[in-house]
Amino acid sequence: MNLKELLSESKGITSNSKEVKPGYIFVAIKGTQADGHHFVEEALQRGALWVLVERDVDLSDPRILKVKDTRRALAELAGLFYGKPSEELRVIGITGTNGKTTSTHVVESILSRAGIKTGLMGTIYYRLGERIYEYEGRTTPDPVKWHSTLRAMKEDGAQAVVCEVSSHALDQKRVWGTRFYMVAFTNLSQDHLDYHHTMENYFLAKARLFTEYEYEHALINADDPWGKRLTTMAKNVKTYGRDGDLKILDFSTDFEGSRLRVECEGRQYHFSSNLRGSFQAYNLSLGVLLGFLWGLSAEVIQEGIREVYVPGRFETYMGDGFVVVVDYAHTPDALGKLLKTARGLAKNRLIVVFGAGG
């Protein structure tokens, strides 16, 4: 029995046994904290139509089906259940250690200015225009929420959706079955080693977006050493950076905003934005390159990046004789770049208040 046949009479899909209702398909996932195979009996008692497992569970029930990879099965089922929404949208997936949130907001602003109704899924929220579907969920949600949110955005009029795609999500196949229009890589530095253990594993998880998924364009930061390596693994690559296909020629920033000068296909362009910080050179360049690949004019791109609001990303508040900057930086690389930028902008003392979870 194939997945389509399993779905023919199903009323829902879940990997949480507590959510199972009569007619649901329960998929047992071995997670980092709990193993769904321990809750198969509960799912059956709750009326599961089918239960998918990837190992023996010492239960005899005709509704239990064994598959090779339950994570992959869950994502494929979710995609089918919600009608493969990524095939009706232009989905942009952005991965990397730092810059994902700002880059997704830059892209959303550019496309929206071009008249393309664009949804956004990431660390802060899942949003389409003024409508918020969820606040502060996972950077990249589980497969059911991923595909259901794409479907909801499509039904609400979205033409494109730009998403942050985390290394955890790629390793756990949360976005499996997604057809991307463009994928992008920002950079790679130390983070999530409690999960991936080594930088090599961390990189290979990120690289899956470029080696295992369908897409038309790959945008890669050519100045990042891991990005250079990724260019040899991806297809249809366009790079950005000091030595990219979209070449950063000059960049300056202060509390008024940033100015960017780039060269692309032999022509130079000047852009300005309210975004502040030296790291914005790359976030803005990614957006500019994506806009050009989309076929947008430099004028439309400029309008898109002129005013971009990103909560918690070098968010500036002016006081009487002082400035407060709020930023989400939480990795060594991100915090270092943040402090370097702040020190360059500050005229007097720089006071840092830094908190860490754990």
Side-chain angles (χ1 to χ4, degrees):
M1 185 177 294
N2 61 38
L3 296 181
K4 283 187 177 180
E5 292 173 330
L6 291 182
L7 286 169
S8 61
E9 297 179 5
S10 69
K11 297 180 180 178
I13 308 161
T14 185
S15 59
N16 183 344
S17 60
K18 303 297 183 187
E19 296 177 353
V20 173
K21 299 176 183 177
Y24 269 50
I25 296 175
F26 172 71
V27 184
I29 302 293
K30 186 180 186 307
T32 55
Q33 297 181 333
D35 187 345
H37 292 80
H38 296 155
F39 304 95
V40 168
E41 186 172 8
E42 178 185 5
L44 293 169
Q45 292 173 350
R46 286 176 171 270
L49 179 66
W50 300 106
V51 171
L52 272 57
V53 300
E54 61 183 23
R55 64 173 176 79
D56 294 333
V57 290
D58 295 326
L59 290 171
S60 179
D61 192 297
R63 293 172 290 171
I64 299 175
L65 300 175
K66 193 174 182 180
V67 298
K68 184 178 180 180
D69 185 341
T70 52
R71 287 192 181 278
R72 180 168 176 168
L74 176 63
E76 291 179 354
L77 281 169
L80 289 168
F81 186 82
Y82 290 102
K84 296 185 176 181
S86 67
E87 297 184 4
E88 302 172 37
L89 293 159
R90 285 191 166 184
V91 180
I92 305 108
I94 299 179
T95 196
T97 304
N98 302 313
K100 295 189 300 297
T101 299
T102 299
S103 295
T104 54
H105 281 74
V106 168
V107 169
E108 182 223 11
S109 185
I110 290 170
L111 296 181
S112 297
R113 179 62 67 172
I116 301 163
K117 193 169 184 180
T118 304
L120 189 154
M121 295 174 67
T123 304
I124 302 173
Y125 39 47
Y126 311 153
R127 173 175 64 76
L128 177 63
E130 298 299 317
R131 178 172 180 183
I132 305 293
Y133 298 84
E134 183 168 325
Y135 263 117
E136 297 180 346
R138 283 176 167 175
T139 297
T140 313
D142 66 81
V144 175
K145 183 162 288 186
W146 170 265
H147 288 286
S148 66
T149 303
L150 289 178
R151 172 52 61 192
M153 288 183 174
K154 172 62 181 175
E155 295 302 316
D156 289 338
Q159 299 164 278
V161 181
V162 57
C163 315
E164 297 181 49
V165 185
S166 69
S167 58
H168 291 72
L170 290 164
D171 187 61
Q172 297 170 8
K173 300 182 175 68
R174 293 184 207 161
V175 298
W176 188 258
T178 303
R179 177 190 292 175
F180 291 94
Y181 179 54
M182 296 189 191
V183 292
F185 174 84
T186 60
N187 51 67
L188 196 78
S189 62
Q190 183 177 320
D191 200 10
H192 304 307
L193 296 188
D194 57 326
Y195 180 88
H196 297 291
H197 304 299
T198 68
M199 287 298 294
E200 178 69 11
N201 289 342
Y202 183 30
F203 168 73
L204 292 176
K206 295 285 192 187
R208 287 183 174 184
L209 183 60
F210 302 83
T211 60
E212 297 181 357
Y213 289 83
E214 183 180 349
Y215 57 86
E216 293 189 25
H217 301 284
L219 288 65
I220 297 175
N221 177 358
D223 293 351
D224 183 89
W226 297 97
K228 283 187 172 68
R229 179 177 168 189
L230 189 59
T231 61
T232 67
M233 302 166 67
K235 63 180 183 181
N236 301 333
V237 173
K238 290 291 185 181
T239 58
Y240 62 96
R242 302 286 178 183
D243 192 30
D245 295 313
L246 183 132
K247 190 184 301 292
I248 299 172
L249 300 177
D250 189 42
F251 182 80
S252 61
T253 187
D254 54 34
F255 280 120
E256 300 302 314
S258 298
R259 278 77 48 197
L260 172 69
R261 182 165 62 93
V262 299
E263 180 180 298
C264 187
E265 296 184 343
R267 293 187 60 186
Q268 290 192 20
Y269 301 89
H270 295 258
F271 297 98
S272 60
S273 174
N274 66 308
L275 296 176
R276 308 168 184 88
S278 58
F279 40 84
Q280 303 296 0
Y282 292 95
N283 298 329
L284 292 169
S285 293
L286 190 162
V288 170
L289 177 57
L290 183 143
F292 282 148
L293 289 173
W294 207 289
L296 304 180
S297 69
E299 291 73 22
V300 168
I301 295 170
Q302 171 57 68
E303 287 303 307
I305 66 176
R306 187 185 304 281
E307 292 287 338
V308 184
Y309 174 61
V310 190
R313 304 306 189 274
F314 213 85
E315 200 170 346
T316 305
Y317 298 89
M318 301 294 183
D320 185 10
F322 63 91
V323 178
V324 176
V325 175
V326 178
D327 196 277
Y328 188 67
H330 63 286
T331 67
D333 181 64
L335 185 60
K337 289 177 179 176
L338 171 68
L339 295 180
K340 184 177 180 180
T341 293
R343 179 68 274 172
L345 296 176
K347 294 180 179 179
N348 297 303
R349 286 195 303 164
L350 175 64
I351 300 172
V352 180
V353 179
F354 175 66

